[in-house]
């Protein structure tokens, strides 16, 4: 059996106190991505914002792809291009589209469905056992999305934005399974870098065609740079380092914090309120994800 090449950047000893701090920091960074999108979406538009985000993220991670070049073959590049669409280009665009139409908390809450969608795809497409807990959690999670989509914020119906967020989370779940199946022989950070680079190539023409004619304000540029450098490039490297140190299941707990931070940042910096339907949907979705991850009792 072949082994995945180790990344020197990931070789750090585990410390319990640091792990907890890093999980919280990662949740805060990813939660902030919905704030950044909300601020910049109207000025950039979905495709220009996503392509710019991906470009900055790719530049940050490109050295990791170069480091793993000896293990990468031409078929890997085509797979990275295809999975870049599924793991970044499409979901990023869906979240960006939703950010134009609904508060940042809507996308952050919908993002929580990623873990459950990953389990569903593994069950339907790859024959993995789903178990009673995850089956119950899936049903509860979908109920949460329905509640989220049926809510109103400041008089606006957010159904389409919530559904776009759920579709983006499904893309993440599907991509996670396909990456595990088709790119498991490459260092994880190189996979992340390759997929982001592939997504950048795919979205660049669409960004060029839809680039806004009006000058983009400095605040929106700052948000998109932060979105690319912090919430995409550095966060991905951060996340895969955690996977290497503590395992995928423990590292995934950072996603539980995303809706909490997403709603908190939007409230603190944009004055966006947490409505009763958002609170109920968030509690159901987040609770279902945590329930699905508990060991059998």
């Amino acid at each position: 059996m072949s082994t995945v090449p180790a990344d020197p950047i990931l070789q750090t000893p585990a410390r319990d106190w640091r792990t907890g701090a890093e999980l919280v920091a990662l949740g805060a960074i990813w939660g902030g991505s919905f704030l950044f999108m909300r601020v910049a979406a109207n000025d950039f538009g979905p495709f220009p914002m996503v392509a710019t985000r991906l470009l900055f993220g790719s530049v940050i991670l490109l050295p990791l792809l170069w480091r793993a070049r000896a293990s990468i073959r031409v078929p890997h590049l085509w797979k990275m291009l295809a999975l870049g669409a599924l793991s970044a280009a499409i979901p990023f665009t869906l979240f960006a589209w939703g950010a134009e139409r609904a508060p940042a908390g809507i996308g952050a809450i919908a993002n929580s469905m990623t873990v459950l969608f990953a389990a569903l795809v593994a069950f339907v497409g790859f024959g993995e056992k789903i178990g009673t807990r995850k089956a119950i959690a899936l049903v509860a999670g979908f109920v949460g999305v329905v509640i989220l989509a049926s809510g109103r914020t400041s008089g606006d119906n957010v159904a389409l934005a919530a559904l776009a967020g759920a579709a983006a989370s499904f893309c993440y779940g599907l991509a996670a399974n396909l990456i595990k199946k088709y790119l498991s022989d490459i260092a994880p950070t190189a996979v992340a870098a390759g997929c982001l680079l592939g997504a950048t190539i795919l979205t660049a023409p669409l960004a060029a065609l839809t680039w806004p004619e009006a000058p983009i304000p400095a605040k929106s540029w700052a948000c998109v740079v932060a979105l690319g450098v912090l919430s995409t490039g550095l966060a991905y490297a951060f996340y895969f380092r955690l996977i290497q140190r503590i395992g995928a299941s423990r590292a995934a707990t950072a996603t539980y914090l995303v809706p909490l931070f997403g709603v908190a940042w939007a409230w603190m910096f944009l004055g966006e309120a947490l409505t009763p339907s958002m609170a109920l949907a968030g509690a159901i979705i987040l609770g279902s994800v945590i329930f699905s991850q508990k060991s059998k009792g």
Side-chain angles (χ1 to χ4, degrees):
M1 177 182 289
S2 61
T3 58
V4 178
D7 283 315
I9 195 172
L10 303 178
Q11 305 304 310
T12 54
R15 298 175 186 169
D16 288 342
W17 66 266
R18 189 177 67 184
T19 295
E22 289 181 351
L23 286 169
V24 172
L26 187 57
I29 291 170
W30 274 340
S33 67
F34 295 94
L35 167 68
F36 298 143
M37 284 190 284
R38 181 63 170 160
V39 172
N42 287 323
D43 292 322
F44 270 88
F47 289 121
M49 183 171 71
V50 168
T52 307
R53 170 187 184 175
L54 287 166
L55 177 62
F56 281 106
S58 298
V59 169
I60 294 295
L61 292 181
L62 202 56
L64 304 180
L65 185 63
W66 178 254
R67 181 179 287 126
R69 65 190 183 281
S71 63
I72 298 174
R73 304 290 180 264
V74 173
H76 289 133
L77 297 177
W78 287 111
K79 291 173 184 177
M80 287 178 180
L81 185 65
L83 290 173
L86 201 57
S87 65
I90 295 174
F92 284 6
T93 302
L94 286 168
F95 278 126
W97 183 87
E100 289 184 295
R101 294 160 174 79
I106 297 295
I109 293 170
N111 183 73
S112 301
M113 287 292 293
T114 297
V115 175
L116 298 180
F117 277 129
L120 179 62
V121 171
F123 171 68
V124 174
F126 298 93
E128 294 187 15
K129 293 182 178 179
I130 197 169
T132 303
R133 276 187 175 273
K134 286 187 177 179
I136 294 172
L138 279 167
V139 173
F142 290 128
V143 170
V145 170
V146 171
I147 294 172
L148 187 65
S150 65
R152 289 179 178 275
T153 305
S154 301
D156 296 325
N157 193 304
V158 298
L160 292 179
L163 293 176
S169 297
F170 176 77
C171 288
Y172 285 149
L174 178 58
N177 281 276
L178 293 175
I179 288 171
K180 180 181 178 181
K181 181 174 177 62
Y182 295 111
L183 290 173
S184 60
D185 56 336
I186 302 176
T189 49
V191 173
C195 287
L196 286 182
L197 182 60
T200 304
I201 294 170
L202 291 173
T203 55
L206 295 170
L209 290 173
T210 58
W211 194 267
E213 295 181 3
I216 299 172
K219 181 173 68 173
S220 292
W221 269 111
C223 284
V224 170
V225 171
L227 192 60
V229 173
L230 184 62
S231 300
T232 306
L234 293 179
Y236 270 54
F238 206 19
Y239 180 56
F240 283 111
R241 187 179 75 168
L242 277 169
I243 290 176
Q244 184 81 5
R245 285 173 48 216
I246 64 176
S249 60
R250 285 189 65 194
T253 58
T255 62
Y256 303 166
L257 302 173
V258 171
L260 305 180
F261 278 107
V263 171
W265 295 147
W267 172 71
M268 289 174 62
F269 295 104
L270 301 178
E272 293 182 350
L274 175 65
T275 66
S277 62
M278 287 172 63
L280 178 59
I284 292 174
I285 294 173
L286 188 59
S288 67
V289 172
I290 295 173
F291 177 77
S292 73
Q293 299 300 301
K294 284 183 174 292
S295 59
K296 295 180 179 179

